[in-house]
Amino acid sequence: MRPIPLAAIRHLIVDMDGVLWRGSQALPGMSRFFETARSLGIRFILATNNASKSGAEYLAKLRGFGVSVTLDEVLTSPQATAAYLARHAPEARVFVIGEPGLAAELRAKGLQVVNEQPEQATHVVVGWDRALTYDKLAEACLLIRRGAAFIGTNPDVTYPSERGIVPGNGATLAALRVSTGVEPLIIGKPQPEMMRQAMARMGGSPENTAVVGDRLDTDILGGQNAGLTTILVLTGVTSLDEARDSAIRPDYIFQDIGAVADALQQANT
């Protein structure tokens, strides 16, 4: 499918880490992007693979940067995972590796989290966990080996922190994959489930929706897997040289989210 022109974009699915901020530092043009999208009537969903925070926590972080969005404009891989399980396995009893936001999203969809009684688990859901321990890995390994379904919120092997590139959830999934011989079902990018959920929220379609991200292997590939136009920014994981050398080719490349805003403004004038 050919990329749609910038002037045809009416809906955006925008990554956050490495696009809007790195750790606690806002990236250039972040506020300008939101002002431009609102003024042009472009709807957006902020869709992140980062499983460490709930949607409400992301709203609070955005407010700290002086940006106001609604909860409906945020979609995290925990939210997408919870929605998927609520639709396909509403009786699931879940052992969780992850931070409090992941368990909170699962419970919000009526799913039972059984970390205190892991022997009851029918599913193991794994998200990024900065308090990861060997005991958590061992418990998850045993459960998966006994037949519990293995689900990963997202496959990102690294995370762009303010200190630099550090291990992401994909590193945890890799440990469980090699110790169980089981491949996880991935809900987040690059699988198309999150993109489809985001488009459904906005009423978007491939003919008027684009994805903005900083990673070729999740954001850009995820957009391509959903048949969407893709926009890479160079403020996160992927460098310009990597983008030029990769088999995964974004439709547009901009230096940062501010440059995306400027291009959208120009295309609509």
Side-chain angles (χ1 to χ4, degrees):
M1 181 176 175
R2 289 187 176 183
I4 60 176
L6 295 178
I9 295 172
R10 307 321 303 160
H11 303 89
L12 285 169
I13 302 171
V14 184
D15 186 42
M16 290 190 270
D17 295 301
V19 176
L20 302 180
W21 56 67
R22 287 182 72 111
S24 59
Q25 299 173 353
L27 288 169
M30 182 182 72
S31 296
R32 189 162 77 257
F33 165 76
F34 287 103
E35 293 167 0
T36 300
R38 299 287 193 206
S39 69
L40 295 175
I42 296 174
R43 298 189 66 185
F44 58 82
I45 295 289
L46 306 179
T48 179
N49 266 358
N50 189 336
S52 66
K53 293 181 175 66
S54 68
E57 288 174 310
Y58 275 109
L59 258 62
K61 181 164 185 172
L62 285 157
R63 283 196 299 270
F65 289 123
V67 173
S68 178
V69 302
T70 68
L71 195 56
D72 285 344
E73 292 172 325
V74 174
L75 178 61
T76 68
S77 62
Q79 289 175 330
T81 300
Y84 177 88
L85 282 174
R87 188 166 68 249
H88 293 282
E91 304 301 319
R93 299 184 300 277
V94 186
F95 178 81
V96 177
I97 288 181
E99 302 196 3
L102 174 54
E105 297 292 0
L106 293 168
R107 291 190 180 102
K109 285 292 186 180
L111 297 159
Q112 187 177 0
V113 176
V114 295
N115 281 42
E116 299 303 316
Q117 297 174 300
E119 68 280 357
Q120 296 183 5
T122 60
H123 292 67
V124 173
V125 172
V126 180
W128 193 42
D129 189 342
R130 287 168 292 185
L132 182 66
T133 65
Y134 182 82
D135 284 346
K136 291 180 184 179
L137 281 174
E139 191 66 66
C141 176
L142 292 167
L143 290 169
I144 294 165
R145 282 182 167 274
R146 291 172 191 157
F150 180 18
I151 296 177
T153 59
N154 64 293
D156 305 52
V157 295
T158 58
Y159 171 76
S161 77
E162 60 265 50
R163 297 168 55 198
I165 304 299
V166 298
N169 190 47
T172 306
L173 294 176
L176 290 171
R177 184 186 296 113
V178 298
S179 60
T180 65
V182 177
E183 288 289 330
L185 170 66
I186 302 296
I187 302 300
K189 301 171 282 186
Q191 299 306 314
E193 176 68 20
M194 275 187 73
M195 303 296 183
R196 291 169 181 161
Q197 289 188 27
M199 278 194 290
R201 281 195 192 182
M202 296 185 289
S205 70
E207 290 72 33
N208 57 24
T209 304
V211 175
V212 183
D214 69 302
R215 299 184 70 112
L216 294 174
D217 59 344
T218 55
D219 304 316
I220 303 307
L221 183 57
Q224 292 174 352
N225 287 339
L228 303 179
T229 293
T230 57
I231 300 171
L232 177 74
V233 294
L234 301 175
T235 46
V237 170
T238 303
S239 69
L240 183 57
D241 286 342
E242 289 168 337
R244 286 171 172 165
D245 293 340
S246 175
I248 303 169
R249 296 296 182 93
D251 296 311
Y252 299 97
I253 300 176
F254 292 98
Q255 183 61 42
D256 52 43
I257 194 67
V260 174
D262 293 342
L264 289 170
Q265 184 71 61
Q266 184 174 3
N268 282 275
T269 55

